[in-house]
Amino acid sequence: MSGIQIGLPVPLPSLQIGTFGSITPLRSFPKSRTALFDFAMSGPLITAVASLAMVVCGISLTVQASSESLASFAVVPAALMKTSFLIGTIISYMAPKVMMVPLAQPIPIHPLFMVGLAGLVSSALNLLPIGRLDGGRTCMAIFGRRSSYLISLLATSILAVAALTGTSVVSIFFGLLVTLFQRNADIPIRDELSDVDDIRVGVYIFSLVLTFLILSPFPGGTPL
């Protein structure tokens, strides 16, 4: 895509959500900031939209399932539904009674929901504006190398605080992988002076809002 050559992707497994995505090294210099933006944004954004559709379908199939079908579904604590503001809001609309049960109460949920939830969290983590993550690459495409480096430091610091305070278990493992493999800025862009257009800036703002809604807990819950 966008004429950018990449190396062999290296999967990053996760004990919490199955996978954190993969490390995708660049093997050629992006021709422009627009080319880098298109390359970096396409993967996580498409994954997030597809995962959101699976979440909605999973909730719908759970609500419509018979008692016999529910017995075969995966069982998770109700607290899982409040680990994400976006997920909690959707469930509050589609299955409001679920949000009123005690956090420790086990509830059945369709497997499609779990796949979608994992995809949303993985996409949101990779959209964080840090180093060589897709979010770091889009940040560099929007703000330029120097400003994106400062933003990356700030985002890494927030991730470290979340990990050290135990606010988020996922951030501990993800933060460790980012620190080891993805914290540095990416290779130079051949044309770092030309800005991206307003449409892409709007898409970037949307991705940041989506990331915040996915990773922020619903009221009364805690993040993954």
Side-chain angles (χ1 to χ4, degrees), residues 127-141:
L127 283 171
L128 291 173
I130 298 176
R132 296 178 181 176
L133 296 176
D134 287 318
R137 287 167 173 166
T138 55
C139 182
M140 184 166 67

Side-chain angles (χ1 to χ4, degrees), residues 7-145:
L8 185 66
V10 179
L12 296 176
S14 166
L15 296 176
Q16 293 80 27
I17 60 174
T19 177
F20 286 130
S22 61
I23 298 174
T24 308
L26 302 185
R27 297 303 187 206
S28 65
F29 298 107
K31 64 180 181 180
S32 65
R33 287 160 64 172
T34 295
L36 179 62
F37 180 89
D38 292 346
F39 169 81
M41 181 59 73
S42 58
L45 195 57
I46 291 173
T47 300
V49 171
S51 298
L52 184 59
M54 286 189 283
V55 164
V56 173
C57 289
I59 298 171
S60 179
L61 291 171
T62 301
V63 172
Q64 299 173 17
S66 63
S67 300
E68 292 77 10
S69 297
L70 288 175
S72 64
F73 286 178
V75 177
V76 299
L80 183 67
M81 307 304 161
K82 294 187 176 183
T83 56
S84 165
F85 185 87
L86 179 62
I87 295 297
T89 301
I90 295 173
I91 295 177
S92 296
Y93 176 76
M94 298 184 65
K97 293 182 179 180
V98 173
M99 303 304 287
M100 295 186 287
V101 303
L103 297 180
Q105 180 171 324
I107 58 173
I109 193 73
H110 193 277
L112 198 59
F113 171 86
M114 299 302 297
V115 176
L117 176 60
L120 278 177
V121 174
S122 176
S123 297
L125 290 172
N126 280 281
L127 283 171
L128 291 173
I130 298 176
R132 296 178 181 176
L133 296 176
D134 287 318
R137 287 167 173 166
T138 55
C139 182
M140 184 166 67
I142 295 293
F143 297 107
R145 182 171 296 273

Side-chain angles (χ1 to χ4, degrees), residues 208-222:
L208 291 180
V209 173
L210 182 63
T211 298
F212 179 79
L213 293 176
I214 293 172
L215 297 182
S216 297
F218 192 81
T222 56

